[in-house]
PDB file of all heavy atoms in Angstrom:
ATOM      1  N   ARG A1044     -59.086 -36.831  50.064  1.00  0.00           N
ATOM      2  CA  ARG A1044     -60.511 -36.586  49.711  1.00  0.00           C
ATOM      3  C   ARG A1044     -61.202 -38.056  49.401  1.00  0.00           C
ATOM      4  O   ARG A1044     -62.507 -38.002  49.536  1.00  0.00           O
ATOM      5  CB  ARG A1044     -60.740 -35.667  48.615  1.00  0.00           C
ATOM      6  CG  ARG A1044     -60.423 -34.225  48.973  1.00  0.00           C
ATOM      7  CD  ARG A1044     -61.085 -33.172  48.029  1.00  0.00           C
ATOM      8  NE  ARG A1044     -60.878 -31.885  48.603  1.00  0.00           N
ATOM      9  CZ  ARG A1044     -59.804 -31.079  48.151  1.00  0.00           C
ATOM     10  NH1 ARG A1044     -59.019 -31.483  47.315  1.00  0.00           N
ATOM     11  NH2 ARG A1044     -59.731 -29.887  48.737  1.00  0.00           N
ATOM     12  N   LEU A1045     -60.449 -38.994  49.127  1.00  0.00           N
ATOM     13  CA  LEU A1045     -61.083 -40.309  48.694  1.00  0.00           C
ATOM     14  C   LEU A1045     -60.838 -41.336  49.796  1.00  0.00           C
ATOM     15  O   LEU A1045     -60.941 -42.466  49.664  1.00  0.00           O
ATOM     16  CB  LEU A1045     -60.440 -40.672  47.386  1.00  0.00           C
ATOM     17  CG  LEU A1045     -60.639 -39.876  46.205  1.00  0.00           C
ATOM     18  CD1 LEU A1045     -59.930 -40.486  44.876  1.00  0.00           C
ATOM     19  CD2 LEU A1045     -62.135 -39.605  45.761  1.00  0.00           C
ATOM     20  N   ALA A1046     -60.621 -40.872  51.094  1.00  0.00           N
ATOM     21  CA  ALA A1046     -60.356 -41.830  52.053  1.00  0.00           C
ATOM     22  C   ALA A1046     -61.465 -42.780  52.439  1.00  0.00           C
ATOM     23  O   ALA A1046     -61.198 -43.940  52.753  1.00  0.00           O
ATOM     24  CB  ALA A1046     -59.947 -41.005  53.395  1.00  0.00           C
ATOM     25  N   LYS A1047     -62.603 -42.349  52.154  1.00  0.00           N
ATOM     26  CA  LYS A1047     -63.800 -43.167  52.477  1.00  0.00           C
ATOM     27  C   LYS A1047     -64.512 -43.699  51.078  1.00  0.00           C
ATOM     28  O   LYS A1047     -65.494 -44.181  51.145  1.00  0.00           O
ATOM     29  CB  LYS A1047     -64.959 -42.316  53.217  1.00  0.00           C
ATOM     30  CG  LYS A1047     -64.337 -41.683  54.533  1.00  0.00           C
ATOM     31  CD  LYS A1047     -63.857 -42.710  55.600  1.00  0.00           C
ATOM     32  CE  LYS A1047     -63.447 -42.104  56.837  1.00  0.00           C
ATOM     33  NZ  LYS A1047     -62.991 -43.118  57.869  1.00  0.00           N
ATOM     34  N   ILE A1048     -63.721 -43.792  50.137  1.00  0.00           N
ATOM     35  CA  ILE A1048     -64.180 -44.313  48.926  1.00  0.00           C
ATOM     36  C   ILE A1048     -64.591 -45.701  48.945  1.00  0.00           C
ATOM     37  O   ILE A1048     -64.050 -46.534  49.761  1.00  0.00           O
ATOM     38  CB  ILE A1048     -63.123 -44.031  47.681  1.00  0.00           C
ATOM     39  CG1 ILE A1048     -63.622 -44.207  46.389  1.00  0.00           C
ATOM     40  CG2 ILE A1048     -61.980 -45.060  47.974  1.00  0.00           C
ATOM     41  CD1 ILE A1048     -62.553 -43.947  45.271  1.00  0.00           C
ATOM     42  N   GLY A1049     -65.623 -46.063  48.107  1.00  0.00           N
ATOM     43  CA  GLY A1049     -66.053 -47.415  48.134  1.00  0.00           C
ATOM     44  C   GLY A1049     -65.227 -48.268  47.294  1.00  0.00           C
ATOM     45  O   GLY A1049     -64.505 -47.689  46.394  1.00  0.00           O
ATOM     46  N   PRO A1050     -65.241 -49.532  47.376  1.00  0.00           N
ATOM     47  CA  PRO A1050     -64.283 -50.435  46.736  1.00  0.00           C
ATOM     48  C   PRO A1050     -64.660 -50.469  45.214  1.00  0.00           C
ATOM     49  O   PRO A1050     -63.878 -50.759  44.439  1.00  0.00           O
ATOM     50  CB  PRO A1050     -64.438 -51.813  47.339  1.00  0.00           C
ATOM     51  CG  PRO A1050     -65.730 -51.760  48.146  1.00  0.00           C
ATOM     52  CD  PRO A1050     -65.809 -50.390  48.608  1.00  0.00           C
ATOM     53  N   GLY A1051     -65.892 -50.204  44.909  1.00  0.00           N
ATOM     54  CA  GLY A1051     -66.317 -50.160  43.482  1.00  0.00           C
ATOM     55  C   GLY A1051     -65.656 -49.159  42.620  1.00  0.00           C
ATOM     56  O   GLY A1051     -65.629 -49.295  41.390  1.00  0.00           O
ATOM     57  N   LEU A1052     -65.031 -48.150  43.205  1.00  0.00           N
ATOM     58  CA  LEU A1052     -64.437 -47.087  42.436  1.00  0.00           C
ATOM     59  C   LEU A1052     -62.969 -47.418  42.359  1.00  0.00           C
ATOM     60  O   LEU A1052     -62.161 -46.503  41.647  1.00  0.00           O
ATOM     61  CB  LEU A1052     -64.644 -45.722  43.121  1.00  0.00           C
ATOM     62  CG  LEU A1052     -66.089 -45.214  43.094  1.00  0.00           C
ATOM     63  CD1 LEU A1052     -66.299 -43.899  43.835  1.00  0.00           C
ATOM     64  CD2 LEU A1052     -66.661 -45.218  41.736  1.00  0.00           C
ATOM     65  N   LEU A1053     -62.364 -48.367  43.084  1.00  0.00           N
ATOM     66  CA  LEU A1053     -60.927 -48.698  42.941  1.00  0.00           C
ATOM     67  C   LEU A1053     -60.668 -49.590  41.834  1.00  0.00           C
ATOM     68  O   LEU A1053     -61.598 -50.336  41.381  1.00  0.00           O
ATOM     69  CB  LEU A1053     -60.465 -49.228  44.291  1.00  0.00           C
ATOM     70  CG  LEU A1053     -60.603 -48.407  45.457  1.00  0.00           C
ATOM     71  CD1 LEU A1053     -60.186 -49.031  46.756  1.00  0.00           C
ATOM     72  CD2 LEU A1053     -59.688 -47.116  45.331  1.00  0.00           C
ATOM     73  N   LEU A1054     -59.504 -49.609  41.278  1.00  0.00           N
ATOM     74  CA  LEU A1054     -59.110 -50.553  40.233  1.00  0.00           C
ATOM     75  C   LEU A1054     -59.318 -51.961  40.708  1.00  0.00           C
ATOM     76  O   LEU A1054     -58.934 -52.262  41.801  1.00  0.00           O
ATOM     77  CB  LEU A1054     -57.688 -50.321  39.861  1.00  0.00           C
ATOM     78  CG  LEU A1054     -57.544 -49.422  38.556  1.00  0.00           C
ATOM     79  CD1 LEU A1054     -57.943 -47.935  38.913  1.00  0.00           C
ATOM     80  CD2 LEU A1054     -56.088 -49.351  38.107  1.00  0.00           C
ATOM     81  N   THR A1055     -59.779 -52.865  39.820  1.00  0.00           N
ATOM     82  CA  THR A1055     -59.800 -54.374  40.109  1.00  0.00           C
ATOM     83  C   THR A1055     -58.389 -54.896  39.811  1.00  0.00           C
ATOM     84  O   THR A1055     -57.515 -54.276  39.210  1.00  0.00           O
ATOM     85  CB  THR A1055     -60.843 -55.000  39.258  1.00  0.00           C
ATOM     86  OG1 THR A1055     -60.496 -54.822  37.703  1.00  0.00           O
ATOM     87  CG2 THR A1055     -62.233 -54.391  39.429  1.00  0.00           C
ATOM     88  N   ALA A1056     -58.184 -56.070  40.302  1.00  0.00           N
ATOM     89  CA  ALA A1056     -56.935 -56.667  39.957  1.00  0.00           C
ATOM     90  C   ALA A1056     -56.719 -56.838  38.403  1.00  0.00           C
ATOM     91  O   ALA A1056     -55.539 -56.662  37.934  1.00  0.00           O
ATOM     92  CB  ALA A1056     -56.906 -58.220  40.631  1.00  0.00           C
ATOM     93  N   GLN A1057     -57.789 -57.118  37.685  1.00  0.00           N
ATOM     94  CA  GLN A1057     -57.654 -57.258  36.205  1.00  0.00           C
ATOM     95  C   GLN A1057     -57.239 -55.889  35.658  1.00  0.00           C
ATOM     96  O   GLN A1057     -56.467 -55.851  34.685  1.00  0.00           O
ATOM     97  CB  GLN A1057     -58.920 -57.650  35.652  1.00  0.00           C
ATOM     98  CG  GLN A1057     -58.892 -57.941  34.139  1.00  0.00           C
ATOM     99  CD  GLN A1057     -60.171 -58.593  33.624  1.00  0.00           C
ATOM    100  OE1 GLN A1057     -61.053 -58.784  34.239  1.00  0.00           O
ATOM    101  NE2 GLN A1057     -60.206 -58.775  32.251  1.00  0.00           N
ATOM    102  N   GLU A1058     -57.822 -54.831  36.181  1.00  0.00           N
ATOM    103  CA  GLU A1058     -57.592 -53.455  35.609  1.00  0.00           C
ATOM    104  C   GLU A1058     -56.128 -53.114  35.931  1.00  0.00           C
ATOM    105  O   GLU A1058     -55.379 -52.449  35.197  1.00  0.00           O
ATOM    106  CB  GLU A1058     -58.548 -52.453  36.176  1.00  0.00           C
ATOM    107  CG  GLU A1058     -59.873 -52.671  35.566  1.00  0.00           C
ATOM    108  CD  GLU A1058     -60.978 -51.975  36.259  1.00  0.00           C
ATOM    109  OE1 GLU A1058     -60.770 -51.623  37.458  1.00  0.00           O
ATOM    110  OE2 GLU A1058     -62.097 -51.765  35.717  1.00  0.00           O
ATOM    111  N   ARG A1059     -55.576 -53.506  37.109  1.00  0.00           N
ATOM    112  CA  ARG A1059     -54.291 -53.129  37.551  1.00  0.00           C
ATOM    113  C   ARG A1059     -53.302 -54.008  36.619  1.00  0.00           C
ATOM    114  O   ARG A1059     -52.313 -53.414  36.136  1.00  0.00           O
ATOM    115  CB  ARG A1059     -54.069 -53.517  38.948  1.00  0.00           C
ATOM    116  CG  ARG A1059     -52.822 -52.993  39.575  1.00  0.00           C
ATOM    117  CD  ARG A1059     -52.729 -53.149  41.127  1.00  0.00           C
ATOM    118  NE  ARG A1059     -53.633 -52.315  41.660  1.00  0.00           N
ATOM    119  CZ  ARG A1059     -54.713 -52.727  42.316  1.00  0.00           C
ATOM    120  NH1 ARG A1059     -55.007 -53.990  42.396  1.00  0.00           N
ATOM    121  NH2 ARG A1059     -55.646 -51.865  42.872  1.00  0.00           N
ATOM    122  N   GLU A1060     -53.481 -55.077  36.214  1.00  0.00           N
ATOM    123  CA  GLU A1060     -52.838 -55.848  35.364  1.00  0.00           C
ATOM    124  C   GLU A1060     -52.742 -55.304  33.985  1.00  0.00           C
ATOM    125  O   GLU A1060     -51.757 -55.233  33.265  1.00  0.00           O
ATOM    126  CB  GLU A1060     -53.216 -57.256  35.255  1.00  0.00           C
ATOM    127  CG  GLU A1060     -52.914 -58.263  36.425  1.00  0.00           C
ATOM    128  CD  GLU A1060     -51.445 -58.326  36.694  1.00  0.00           C
ATOM    129  OE1 GLU A1060     -50.630 -58.544  35.847  1.00  0.00           O
ATOM    130  OE2 GLU A1060     -51.037 -58.094  37.937  1.00  0.00           O
ATOM    131  N   GLY A1061     -53.937 -54.681  33.622  1.00  0.00           N
ATOM    132  CA  GLY A1061     -54.036 -53.937  32.466  1.00  0.00           C
ATOM    133  C   GLY A1061     -53.062 -52.781  32.273  1.00  0.00           C
ATOM    134  O   GLY A1061     -52.330 -52.425  31.305  1.00  0.00           O
ATOM    135  N   LEU A1062     -52.930 -52.030  33.459  1.00  0.00           N
ATOM    136  CA  LEU A1062     -51.930 -50.922  33.622  1.00  0.00           C
ATOM    137  C   LEU A1062     -50.475 -51.322  33.434  1.00  0.00           C
ATOM    138  O   LEU A1062     -49.692 -50.695  32.758  1.00  0.00           O
ATOM    139  CB  LEU A1062     -52.146 -50.263  34.932  1.00  0.00           C
ATOM    140  CG  LEU A1062     -53.230 -49.082  35.165  1.00  0.00           C
ATOM    141  CD1 LEU A1062     -53.202 -48.476  36.518  1.00  0.00           C
ATOM    142  CD2 LEU A1062     -53.134 -47.962  34.096  1.00  0.00           C
ATOM    143  N   LYS A1063     -50.310 -52.583  34.084  1.00  0.00           N
ATOM    144  CA  LYS A1063     -48.812 -52.980  33.989  1.00  0.00           C
ATOM    145  C   LYS A1063     -48.499 -53.305  32.467  1.00  0.00           C
ATOM    146  O   LYS A1063     -47.382 -53.068  31.995  1.00  0.00           O
ATOM    147  CB  LYS A1063     -48.708 -54.234  34.817  1.00  0.00           C
ATOM    148  CG  LYS A1063     -48.818 -54.022  36.329  1.00  0.00           C
ATOM    149  CD  LYS A1063     -48.764 -55.395  37.107  1.00  0.00           C
ATOM    150  CE  LYS A1063     -49.126 -55.198  38.555  1.00  0.00           C
ATOM    151  NZ  LYS A1063     -49.252 -56.460  39.293  1.00  0.00           N
ATOM    152  N   GLN A1064     -49.430 -53.888  31.777  1.00  0.00           N
ATOM    153  CA  GLN A1064     -49.294 -54.295  30.396  1.00  0.00           C
ATOM    154  C   GLN A1064     -49.124 -52.973  29.527  1.00  0.00           C
ATOM    155  O   GLN A1064     -48.396 -52.951  28.699  1.00  0.00           O
ATOM    156  CB  GLN A1064     -50.482 -55.051  29.863  1.00  0.00           C
ATOM    157  CG  GLN A1064     -50.379 -55.625  28.466  1.00  0.00           C
ATOM    158  CD  GLN A1064     -51.485 -56.428  27.902  1.00  0.00           C
ATOM    159  OE1 GLN A1064     -52.285 -56.962  28.844  1.00  0.00           O
ATOM    160  NE2 GLN A1064     -51.534 -56.792  26.773  1.00  0.00           N
ATOM    161  N   PHE A1065     -49.901 -51.971  29.878  1.00  0.00           N
ATOM    162  CA  PHE A1065     -49.829 -50.630  29.232  1.00  0.00           C
ATOM    163  C   PHE A1065     -48.296 -50.117  29.417  1.00  0.00           C
ATOM    164  O   PHE A1065     -47.816 -49.611  28.416  1.00  0.00           O
ATOM    165  CB  PHE A1065     -50.847 -49.646  29.901  1.00  0.00           C
ATOM    166  CG  PHE A1065     -50.882 -48.366  29.245  1.00  0.00           C
ATOM    167  CD1 PHE A1065     -51.486 -48.074  28.028  1.00  0.00           C
ATOM    168  CD2 PHE A1065     -50.186 -47.283  29.908  1.00  0.00           C
ATOM    169  CE1 PHE A1065     -51.496 -46.843  27.540  1.00  0.00           C
ATOM    170  CE2 PHE A1065     -50.279 -46.056  29.367  1.00  0.00           C
ATOM    171  CZ  PHE A1065     -50.832 -45.810  28.132  1.00  0.00           C
ATOM    172  N   HIS A1066     -47.812 -50.233  30.580  1.00  0.00           N
ATOM    173  CA  HIS A1066     -46.536 -49.771  30.896  1.00  0.00           C
ATOM    174  C   HIS A1066     -45.518 -50.467  29.899  1.00  0.00           C
ATOM    175  O   HIS A1066     -44.589 -49.804  29.248  1.00  0.00           O
ATOM    176  CB  HIS A1066     -46.104 -50.115  32.358  1.00  0.00           C
ATOM    177  CG  HIS A1066     -44.657 -49.966  32.722  1.00  0.00           C
ATOM    178  ND1 HIS A1066     -44.309 -48.956  33.626  1.00  0.00           N
ATOM    179  CD2 HIS A1066     -43.544 -50.637  32.394  1.00  0.00           C
ATOM    180  CE1 HIS A1066     -42.946 -48.998  33.774  1.00  0.00           C
ATOM    181  NE2 HIS A1066     -42.519 -50.029  33.004  1.00  0.00           N
ATOM    182  N   ALA A1067     -45.573 -51.655  29.809  1.00  0.00           N
ATOM    183  CA  ALA A1067     -44.712 -52.592  28.899  1.00  0.00           C
ATOM    184  C   ALA A1067     -44.887 -52.109  27.499  1.00  0.00           C
ATOM    185  O   ALA A1067     -43.886 -51.924  26.687  1.00  0.00           O
ATOM    186  CB  ALA A1067     -44.882 -54.065  29.069  1.00  0.00           C
ATOM    187  N   GLU A1068     -46.077 -52.096  26.919  1.00  0.00           N
ATOM    188  CA  GLU A1068     -46.407 -51.735  25.574  1.00  0.00           C
ATOM    189  C   GLU A1068     -45.840 -50.379  25.177  1.00  0.00           C
ATOM    190  O   GLU A1068     -45.305 -50.095  24.167  1.00  0.00           O
ATOM    191  CB  GLU A1068     -47.782 -51.853  25.377  1.00  0.00           C
ATOM    192  CG  GLU A1068     -48.421 -53.259  25.308  1.00  0.00           C
ATOM    193  CD  GLU A1068     -49.885 -53.326  25.169  1.00  0.00           C
ATOM    194  OE1 GLU A1068     -50.513 -52.265  25.216  1.00  0.00           O
ATOM    195  OE2 GLU A1068     -50.389 -54.502  25.202  1.00  0.00           O
ATOM    196  N   MET A1069     -46.236 -49.375  26.085  1.00  0.00           N
ATOM    197  CA  MET A1069     -45.777 -48.000  25.754  1.00  0.00           C
ATOM    198  C   MET A1069     -44.194 -47.980  25.601  1.00  0.00           C
ATOM    199  O   MET A1069     -43.687 -47.235  24.828  1.00  0.00           O
ATOM    200  CB  MET A1069     -46.329 -46.996  26.700  1.00  0.00           C
ATOM    201  CG  MET A1069     -47.775 -46.847  26.733  1.00  0.00           C
ATOM    202  SD  MET A1069     -48.339 -45.949  25.284  1.00  0.00           S
ATOM    203  CE  MET A1069     -49.098 -47.364  24.358  1.00  0.00           C
ATOM    204  N   ASN A1070     -43.561 -48.651  26.575  1.00  0.00           N
ATOM    205  CA  ASN A1070     -42.093 -48.404  26.672  1.00  0.00           C
ATOM    206  C   ASN A1070     -41.476 -49.279  25.416  1.00  0.00           C
ATOM    207  O   ASN A1070     -40.097 -49.067  25.307  1.00  0.00           O
ATOM    208  CB  ASN A1070     -41.616 -48.887  28.042  1.00  0.00           C
ATOM    209  CG  ASN A1070     -41.773 -47.873  29.047  1.00  0.00           C
ATOM    210  OD1 ASN A1070     -41.888 -46.693  28.706  1.00  0.00           O
ATOM    211  ND2 ASN A1070     -42.000 -48.316  30.327  1.00  0.00           N
ATOM    212  N   ARG A1071     -42.087 -50.025  24.764  1.00  0.00           N
ATOM    213  CA  ARG A1071     -41.551 -50.733  23.640  1.00  0.00           C
ATOM    214  C   ARG A1071     -41.717 -49.791  22.289  1.00  0.00           C
ATOM    215  O   ARG A1071     -41.182 -50.019  21.231  1.00  0.00           O
ATOM    216  CB  ARG A1071     -42.300 -52.058  23.247  1.00  0.00           C
ATOM    217  CG  ARG A1071     -41.782 -53.176  24.250  1.00  0.00           C
ATOM    218  CD  ARG A1071     -42.325 -54.486  23.688  1.00  0.00           C
ATOM    219  NE  ARG A1071     -43.720 -54.722  23.881  1.00  0.00           N
ATOM    220  CZ  ARG A1071     -44.463 -55.277  24.881  1.00  0.00           C
ATOM    221  NH1 ARG A1071     -43.730 -55.744  25.883  1.00  0.00           N
ATOM    222  NH2 ARG A1071     -45.709 -55.383  24.777  1.00  0.00           N
ATOM    223  N   ARG A1072     -42.459 -48.656  22.376  1.00  0.00           N
ATOM    224  CA  ARG A1072     -42.674 -47.772  21.369  1.00  0.00           C
ATOM    225  C   ARG A1072     -41.705 -46.611  21.365  1.00  0.00           C
ATOM    226  O   ARG A1072     -41.247 -46.122  22.421  1.00  0.00           O
ATOM    227  CB  ARG A1072     -44.118 -47.311  21.358  1.00  0.00           C
ATOM    228  CG  ARG A1072     -45.123 -48.391  21.078  1.00  0.00           C
ATOM    229  CD  ARG A1072     -46.537 -48.080  21.273  1.00  0.00           C
ATOM    230  NE  ARG A1072     -46.953 -46.695  20.694  1.00  0.00           N
ATOM    231  CZ  ARG A1072     -48.140 -46.297  20.694  1.00  0.00           C
ATOM    232  NH1 ARG A1072     -49.151 -46.954  21.222  1.00  0.00           N
ATOM    233  NH2 ARG A1072     -48.442 -45.139  20.304  1.00  0.00           N
ATOM    234  N   ARG A1073     -41.397 -46.231  20.165  1.00  0.00           N
ATOM    235  CA  ARG A1073     -40.367 -45.023  20.050  1.00  0.00           C
ATOM    236  C   ARG A1073     -41.065 -43.722  19.875  1.00  0.00           C
ATOM    237  O   ARG A1073     -40.416 -42.692  19.837  1.00  0.00           O
ATOM    238  CB  ARG A1073     -39.422 -45.333  18.861  1.00  0.00           C
ATOM    239  CG  ARG A1073     -38.614 -46.568  19.170  1.00  0.00           C
ATOM    240  CD  ARG A1073     -37.717 -46.858  17.876  1.00  0.00           C
ATOM    241  NE  ARG A1073     -36.672 -45.863  17.899  1.00  0.00           N
ATOM    242  CZ  ARG A1073     -35.675 -45.912  16.891  1.00  0.00           C
ATOM    243  NH1 ARG A1073     -35.723 -46.780  15.930  1.00  0.00           N
ATOM    244  NH2 ARG A1073     -34.719 -44.888  16.968  1.00  0.00           N
TER     245      ARG A1073
END
């Protein structure tokens, strides 16, 4: 359904890096 989505609605490189950091931070928590 999002095949024709505009680039403004996709994650930026900075936001994607934020997700990677979230992965690492969450997995350090018990």
